[in-house]
Amino acid sequence: MNNLVILPILIPLLMGVILIFFKDSKSVQRTVSVISVGLMIAVSAYLTYIVYTEGIQTTELGDWPAPFGIVLVADLLSSSLVALSSLLSLVCLFFAYQTFSAERERNFFHPFFLFLMVGVNGSFLTGDLFNLFVFFEVMLISSFILISMGSKQYQLRESLKYVIINTVSSMFFVAAIAYIYGVTGTLNMADLAVKIGELEQTGVISVIAVLFLFVFGTKSAIFPLYYWLPHSYFAPPAAIAALFGGLLTKVGVYTIMRTYTLIFPHDQTVFQILLIFGGLTMFIGVLGAVSQFDFKRILAVHIVSQVGYMIMGIGIFTPLAIAGTFYFLAHNIIVKSALFLFAGVAEKITGTSHLKQMSGLLKTHPYVGWLFLITALSLAGIPPLSGFFGKFALIIAGFDAGNYFVIAVSLATGVLTLFSMMKIFMTSFWGEVKMPDPQAKDKKVGSLLIPILPLVALTILLGVAAEPFMQFSLELAEQLMDPSEYINSVLNKE
Amino acid sequence: MEILMILTVGVLFTVATYMILSKSMLRVIIGVVILSHGAHLLFLTLSGLKQGAPPLLGEEASAYTDPLPQALILTAIVIGFGITAFMLVLAYRTYKAHKTDNLDELRGTEDE
């Protein structure tokens, strides 16, 4: 029992409610949201430290004992993801301050930004399946508002599709919860793990597992459920796209990781499905990226391809593969948002995000170019940057498990990723200076780069100091692969 | 009773699927609403219809009905209500901006 676990949910919730009343004061909005995100980072870092030294922490809400009440659980996976997402939200917030119009900030950007963090942190921390649905909805409805804010023509129609697809998958989430409640009579994840382990009718469990895969697959954009993502993540401004690209699909991946390691680890067929879909997702995603000629669109389609790697890691399902998946997940949260922010910077300079309309950025803004190159190479998995080690662990794990085909696909995908990243670099940064806006050369964007710097530094750090981080990931993977510690600490069995 | 409920759920899911696959924005939204009703009804049925006395203090009975699904469905209904309201407003704004509610005309990119 530790009340610290609820703070990452409570802080943004309270602050967001307060901010609704200070709609017109820009300075109050900004200060309060920076303070609350700062508090979130501090609390979640401390929580991760506590979990690392003392083991899994739980909070029983309302003091109802575990399988009956709602329980919040912080293990290594969830607490470190909360810390990462809080850090990312601070970066996006500072980027938003410099790019957003005053009108956008006045129209409840800050409260919904904080409510989005409530949903994200809550989804990471909850230990109850229905509560997960509720936090998903909190996250989704805030994201609906953030994505449609601004009401441009293109934005409106793409957010409508985003809303409808996500709502349909949420309804299937309710149906899946209904099935699992009908079969087991419980919704507490630890209790579910125990009860499903004791059940003998595995056919029903397979159906439920596939239904959950459909739901979480839609949220995390795996093949063939990814079609909504490239268009809708293209629509919002860079700071919001970075937050969505970095976090929202990763919440879907997190839920797949959590449910498949904890609730459905016995079902071999589902892991085969995950492997196949992982391979298809990464390959088709990267083909989509290769065919695009727009900065933001390439990045958006790349999200799909990167999610494929994580799904593959979960499908291989060995401790090393899970460790690699987490490492890759953390790397991807950092790098993907940094790249989206770079797209925002390039758009701010040139006034367009289409690659054919801009070139020569390296001559006019060298720092942007080189920092982008580091991040892009990290995404493509070039050593010694962080992308390499995540992929390396996944590939080694795949070889150990004998999944040669999917490994071959992932290597081919890596080459194509490098190709599409270099396409951005070569067309928009190399070459003669050519931009639609004639004053573009002299635009100063130094202050825009400051929020991105920590992300670039982190990807270098994750790569250069891979040893301790990999050690941490391995410990995390062991905790996931052996759910008994999770189950015991939730159900208070010693 | 369970059989009848399950059949109703099946009909609701079928109707919802048909509506969601149609091309008019408003029909799609109605489809989503019907889908949510189907899901809630499914929840109510699968967790067991009335099996005994209401679970209140002072009720003397050999069996009690499970109150949890009803609480959960209520939560889901409220969430669905909010999202439906938002979807309708968004659809109206989209209609105003594009002058059409045909989803076939709301697709594609400038490049194509």
Side-chain angles (χ1 to χ4, degrees):
Chain A
M1 192 67 180
N2 187 343
N3 282 330
L4 198 64
V5 185
I6 200 175
L7 281 183
I9 303 171
L10 215 53
I11 294 169
L13 182 67
L14 281 179
M15 298 292 197
V17 171
I18 291 171
L19 279 186
I20 291 180
F21 297 105
F22 294 96
K23 162 175 187 299
D24 291 319
S25 165
K26 196 164 125 185
S27 54
V28 172
Q29 296 255 0
R30 288 188 170 187
T31 348
V32 173
S33 21
V34 168
I35 289 174
S36 52
V37 173
L39 273 176
M40 255 160 61
I41 295 177
V43 167
S44 54
Y46 181 60
L47 183 64
T48 315
Y49 172 75
I50 297 263
V51 172
Y52 190 69
T53 48
E54 291 171 24
I56 296 176
Q57 302 293 315
T58 61
T59 303
E60 287 164 347
L61 297 184
D63 227 4
W64 290 87
F68 307 109
I70 293 170
V71 61
L72 297 179
V73 190
D75 67 348
L76 279 178
L77 176 66
S78 47
S79 60
S80 52
L81 280 178
V82 168
L84 253 180
S85 55
S86 310
L87 183 72
L88 181 67
S89 63
L90 187 67
V91 168
C92 291
L93 207 56
F94 275 118
F95 195 84
Y97 289 165
Q98 299 182 28
T99 49
F100 277 12
S101 62
E103 194 191 5
R104 191 185 279 275
E105 276 193 60
R106 206 167 46 240
N107 283 324
F108 301 109
F109 164 71
H110 293 271
F112 283 107
F113 183 89
L114 291 175
F115 291 149
L116 183 83
M117 294 318 293
V118 174
V120 171
N121 289 348
S123 311
F124 286 145
L125 287 174
T126 185
D128 182 281
L129 216 47
F130 192 81
N131 201 229
L132 179 68
F133 164 75
V134 173
F135 277 122
F136 253 58
E137 294 307 302
V138 172
M139 176 181 91
L140 285 176
I141 197 140
S142 324
S143 75
F144 295 163
I145 289 161
L146 289 178
I147 209 169
S148 59
M149 203 181 244
S151 308
K152 289 195 205 101
Q153 252 194 345
Y154 183 79
Q155 212 177 356
L156 278 173
R157 70 170 221 222
E158 293 312 328
S159 25
L160 183 72
K161 291 171 203 166
Y162 174 78
V163 171
I164 288 171
I165 288 163
N166 274 299
T167 314
V168 168
S169 95
S170 292
M171 288 312 137
F172 276 94
F173 197 177
V174 177
I177 291 174
Y179 280 125
I180 209 164
Y181 188 75
V183 173
T184 61
T186 180
L187 288 174
N188 182 296
M189 290 198 224
D191 201 24
L192 273 174
V194 176
K195 292 231 166 89
I196 285 189
E198 291 163 356
L199 271 184
E200 279 167 12
Q201 18 170 202
T202 50
V204 184
I205 300 302
S206 295
V207 172
I208 295 172
V210 171
L211 202 52
F212 273 111
L213 183 63
F214 168 75
V215 174
F216 299 143
T218 316
K219 317 263 179 196
S220 59
I222 68 175
F223 175 85
L225 307 163
Y226 65 90
Y227 45 82
W228 54 271
L229 188 138
H231 292 301
S232 41
Y233 280 20
F234 174 75
I240 292 176
L243 191 70
F244 282 19
L247 280 186
L248 295 197
T249 50
K250 310 308 182 289
V251 177
V253 175
Y254 161 81
T255 45
I256 294 180
M257 257 173 120
R258 172 65 75 213
T259 47
Y260 281 78
T261 52
L262 189 61
I263 305 177
F264 309 113
H266 319 288
D267 200 339
Q268 283 312 311
T269 43
V270 180
F271 287 100
Q272 289 297 322
I273 296 175
L274 278 177
L275 264 183
I276 296 166
F277 280 163
L280 282 170
T281 308
M282 63 177 114
F283 196 65
I284 290 179
V286 85
L287 284 187
V290 166
S291 70
Q292 298 286 347
F293 261 100
D294 188 290
F295 204 144
K296 269 160 91 179
R297 242 184 251 280
I298 292 179
L299 297 178
V301 189
H302 257 299
I303 296 176
V304 178
S305 156
Q306 310 290 321
V307 164
Y309 278 99
M310 302 167 205
I311 302 297
M312 176 185 89
I314 303 170
I316 296 170
F317 203 55
T318 59
L320 184 60
I322 297 289
T325 308
F326 172 73
Y327 199 92
F328 197 79
L329 184 70
H331 143 80
N332 206 249
I333 289 178
I334 296 163
V335 167
K336 185 52 79 182
S337 341
L339 285 173
F340 264 109
L341 295 181
F342 277 121
V345 174
E347 202 176 351
K348 184 93 177 169
I349 297 172
T350 61
T352 176
S353 66
H354 203 284
L355 289 182
K356 284 179 180 161
Q357 290 169 9
M358 57 164 133
S359 68
L361 268 178
L362 200 58
K363 276 191 187 142
T364 53
H365 300 84
Y367 293 115
V368 181
W370 294 122
L371 286 173
F372 170 79
L373 184 67
I374 294 175
T375 326
L377 289 179
S378 176
L379 184 81
I382 304 291
L385 298 162
S386 61
F388 172 74
F389 293 97
K391 279 186 192 171
F392 187 62
L394 284 175
I395 286 168
I396 296 282
F399 271 123
D400 288 347
N403 298 312
Y404 300 111
F405 187 71
V406 77
I407 293 303
V409 172
S410 77
L411 289 173
T413 308
V415 176
L416 289 173
T417 309
L418 185 62
F419 169 73
S420 60
M421 282 296 126
M422 284 306 105
K423 186 169 76 181
I424 299 182
F425 190 69
M426 283 167 69
T427 51
S428 62
F429 289 93
W430 273 0
E432 290 303 308
V433 179
K434 187 187 87 182
M435 290 159 199
D437 181 3
Q439 270 103 46
K441 272 188 234 92
D442 310 319
K443 273 193 194 152
K444 295 268 180 288
V445 288
S447 57
L448 276 179
L449 287 181
I450 295 170
I452 316 181
L453 275 178
L455 294 180
V456 180
L458 255 180
T459 177
I460 297 175
L461 183 73
L462 266 178
V464 175
E467 177 74 30
F469 288 112
M470 201 37 118
Q471 215 59 48
F472 179 81
S473 309
L474 279 170
E475 256 175 70
L476 182 150
E478 259 161 44
Q479 209 175 53
L480 281 179
M481 292 300 283
D482 177 21
S484 57
E485 190 193 345
Y486 186 99
I487 294 168
N488 288 341
S489 54
V490 172
L491 300 179
N492 296 320
K493 281 189 284 195
E494 284 310 322
Chain B
M1 190 63 187
E2 273 84 359
I3 303 280
L4 189 67
M5 291 285 269
I6 289 291
L7 285 177
T8 319
V9 172
V11 170
L12 283 176
F13 267 77
T14 320
V15 172
T17 312
Y18 177 75
M19 297 284 260
I20 289 170
L21 293 179
S22 67
K23 282 178 184 158
S24 155
M25 225 150 48
L26 209 55
R27 275 167 175 260
V28 172
I29 293 175
I30 293 173
V32 173
V33 174
I34 294 177
L35 186 68
S36 76
H37 291 332
H40 298 154
L41 208 56
L42 182 73
F43 206 146
L44 199 67
T45 317
L46 279 181
S47 50
L49 296 171
K50 193 170 184 233
Q51 287 155 335
L56 297 172
L57 287 175
E59 288 271 339
E60 303 281 335
S62 56
Y64 296 97
T65 304
D66 184 2
L68 188 65
Q70 291 156 33
L72 300 183
I73 292 166
L74 191 63
T75 315
I77 288 174
V78 173
I79 292 172
F81 177 70
I83 288 180
T84 311
F86 180 77
M87 263 196 299
L88 285 170
V89 173
L90 190 62
Y92 179 66
R93 289 290 298 274
T94 314
Y95 173 74
K96 291 275 268 190
H98 289 269
K99 302 273 180 274
T100 175
D101 81 329
N102 187 345
L103 285 168
D104 247 359
E105 292 170 30
L106 296 174
R107 56 198 289 269
T109 58
E110 318 77 88
D111 303 347
E112 282 164 22

